[in-house]
Amino acid sequence: MQDKMRRIRKIILTGTLIAGFMNTPVRADNTAEATYKAKCATCHGADGKGETAAGKSMNAGSFARPAVAKMSDEDLSSAIEKGKNKMPAYGKSLKPDQIKDLVAYIRNLAK
Ligand code: HEC
């Protein structure tokens, strides 16, 4: 009897842990980091330096270069929203709040 109770408790505990793990990626999907890695890193690179094959071929350039530092947050949002040369537009697939968070994320990468 004791053994059975212990086994049931173990099953419940394991189930709770698995459910906890499964919840994590769902929440992470909403962060700027997850969006950046899913949609932007192919060209801009995880470090924002644009040194990926696609980034080099399209001339993405590093977010750390002075020209980007001089751009206002509005300039950066507008590039994400409307696109810029070979950079695709994301105004239809991202919400204004997500774009704002991405601008902050890019500024942080450029530090
Ligand atoms: C298909 C490749 C590609 C993808 C994917 C891409 N970009 Fe770009 N991005 C570029 C290129 C190329 C430029 C440079 C445009 C120019 O000035 O000629 C650029 C420019 C920018 C700029 C303007 C600053 C600068 O460096 O010129 C921002 C901000 C930016 N991208 C953010 C993003 C964000 C955020 C995402 C993801 C939502 C993203 N990009 C996805 C290719 C890409």
Side-chain angles (χ1 to χ4, degrees):
M1 199 55 201
Q2 272 276 338
D3 257 13
K4 201 173 178 190
M5 282 303 289
R6 219 175 284 156
R7 223 178 303 147
I8 290 170
R9 230 182 285 154
K10 206 170 164 189
I11 289 166
I12 292 172
L13 188 68
T14 315
T16 314
L17 283 176
I18 291 171
F21 279 126
M22 283 168 61
N23 255 331
T24 319
V26 176
R27 257 180 279 136
D29 265 358
N30 296 326
T31 67
E33 185 180 3
T35 313
Y36 182 85
K37 285 187 177 150
K39 294 185 191 281
C40 324
T42 10
C43 292
H44 290 286
D47 58 1
K49 295 207 171 103
E51 281 164 2
T52 62
K56 278 187 207 156
S57 79
M58 288 180 211
N59 230 343
S62 169
F63 288 138
R65 69 193 198 280
V68 176
K70 271 192 225 138
M71 289 170 80
S72 66
D73 286 358
E74 285 73 38
D75 292 336
L76 296 181
S77 318
S78 154
I80 301 169
E81 195 189 325
K82 299 178 189 134
K84 195 181 161 198
N85 299 323
K86 293 202 176 130
M87 153 102 185
Y90 287 93
K92 288 207 175 102
S93 55
L94 294 173
K95 295 191 192 85
D97 269 1
Q98 289 179 296
I99 295 178
K100 207 175 122 210
D101 289 350
L102 279 168
V103 169
Y105 185 77
I106 287 168
R107 291 263 193 235
N108 211 33
L109 276 183
K111 271 183 193 159

